Amino acid sequence: MADRALDRHEAARRAHVAPPDWRNPAPAGRYDLVVLGGGTAGLVSAAIAAGLGARTALVERAELGGDCLNVGCVPSKALLAVGRAAAAARDAARFGVATGPVEVDFAAAMERMRRLRAGIAEHDSAERFRGLGVDVFLGEGRFTGSDRVEVEGATLVFRRAVLATGSRPAVPPIPGLSDVGFLTNESVFDLAERPARLAVIGGGAIGCELAQAFARMGSRVTLLETGPRLLPRDDPDAAAVVAAALSRDGVDVRTGIRIERVEPADAAARLAM
């Protein structure tokens, strides 16, 4: 379902956040701070500590920049901007502006997203943080004592440690889901083709963002939430405004839903509720 093309933008992003030729430095004697996790919290912690003169090490097992840069804020806002432009064009007639049918070039929209993401990646790069005085270690960290972490065979001894390992998508235990395949925020931005139909399970902030973006780009979207309303952690009045806006964009919003199972259906999947 997903296909991350290794185009020049992706190559540039990876060269910053997971450089294939990166060589971890020799560990210092004792670090004042070791940070595990190179996402937003970890990068800020490492940069501030190094700026204050602390001997600092940063450990990342996947890609620097974490969710925000790679599979969260940056790519989602890039697609939301595409959706906003398409919606504005479709609504232009009320301003006296005549337009024809509005179609989104999905491949071009995704290429733009990759270009923007690659341009920002430099700020979270291993090279930049090395320049800030941080020892950057790429690899999986493992505590081997109360004051030491092992990374790729090297031992980092520390006075203090920060755990900023972030989060992962929570996959609901729906029978049949793993058999038909699914997307999460870690893979949806790798799509090469726009899905004709898309079911979004979860009416939180990320689910609402994805539902609106893909609906405005031309997908037929159904947004499913088990609770009585969207955005359960936010103000009810604000959630109602969001639900109304999604409905205007053509999203089929369903709350109070219990998904019993997922079944294959030709080249797609069917949700039984």
Side-chain angles (χ1 to χ4, degrees):
M1 296 177 70
D3 179 22
R4 176 181 293 180
L6 188 59
D7 60 8
R8 59 192 177 93
H9 303 309
E10 267 299 281
R13 182 188 69 86
R14 294 186 192 183
H16 287 307
V17 301
D21 57 349
W22 183 262
R23 291 188 178 183
N24 290 339
R30 178 183 289 269
Y31 289 100
D32 297 305
L33 184 69
V34 167
V35 180
L36 276 79
T40 302
L43 294 175
V44 171
S45 298
I48 291 176
L52 293 174
R55 181 177 290 179
T56 306
L58 174 64
V59 180
E60 171 56 48
R61 70 176 181 178
E63 296 179 337
L64 292 166
D67 277 8
C68 187
L69 171 67
N70 301 300
V71 295
C73 315
V74 171
S76 70
K77 300 309 179 289
L79 294 190
L80 284 172
V82 174
R84 186 181 302 114
R90 294 185 182 109
D91 199 34
R94 70 188 183 95
F95 296 98
V97 179
T99 63
V102 177
E103 295 291 336
V104 173
D105 184 335
F106 188 76
M110 297 299 279
E111 189 274 340
R112 173 182 177 273
M113 178 272 291
R114 292 193 298 271
R115 172 173 54 82
L116 294 174
R117 185 171 57 180
I120 295 172
E122 179 181 359
H123 301 288
D124 294 347
S125 68
E127 191 63 44
R128 175 176 180 251
F129 275 77
R130 180 163 61 184
L132 294 176
V134 177
D135 282 356
V136 179
F137 293 84
L138 300 183
E140 185 164 358
R142 182 173 65 91
F143 284 100
T144 56
S146 60
D147 66 344
R148 59 200 61 215
V149 170
E150 183 178 293
V151 185
E152 299 294 309
T155 298
L156 284 56
V157 181
F158 59 82
R159 300 181 188 277
R160 295 285 188 273
V162 168
L163 297 180
T165 51
S167 61
R168 300 294 297 272
V171 179
I174 302 172
L177 182 61
S178 59
D179 297 329
V180 300
F182 56 87
L183 298 166
T184 70
N185 72 296
E186 293 183 345
S187 56
V188 69
F189 300 112
D190 298 340
L191 285 172
E193 297 180 359
R194 180 184 62 203
R197 300 180 62 163
L198 183 68
V200 179
I201 301 175
I206 295 175
C208 290
E209 282 190 344
L210 291 175
Q212 185 184 62
F214 276 86
R216 285 180 164 184
M217 289 191 294
S219 296
R220 184 176 175 182
V221 179
T222 302
L223 178 58
L224 306 169
E225 167 58 41
T226 59
R229 64 178 178 88
L230 299 181
L231 301 173
R233 297 183 179 180
D234 294 287
D235 182 84
D237 291 339
V241 171
V242 171
L246 290 172
S247 296
R248 286 196 301 273
D249 286 328
V251 178
D252 182 3
V253 178
R254 304 189 189 185
T255 57
I257 293 296
R258 177 180 174 84
I259 303 173
E260 300 291 343
R261 63 188 182 279
V262 180
E263 304 167 342
D266 297 327
R270 179 184 296 110
L271 279 65
M273 296 174 281

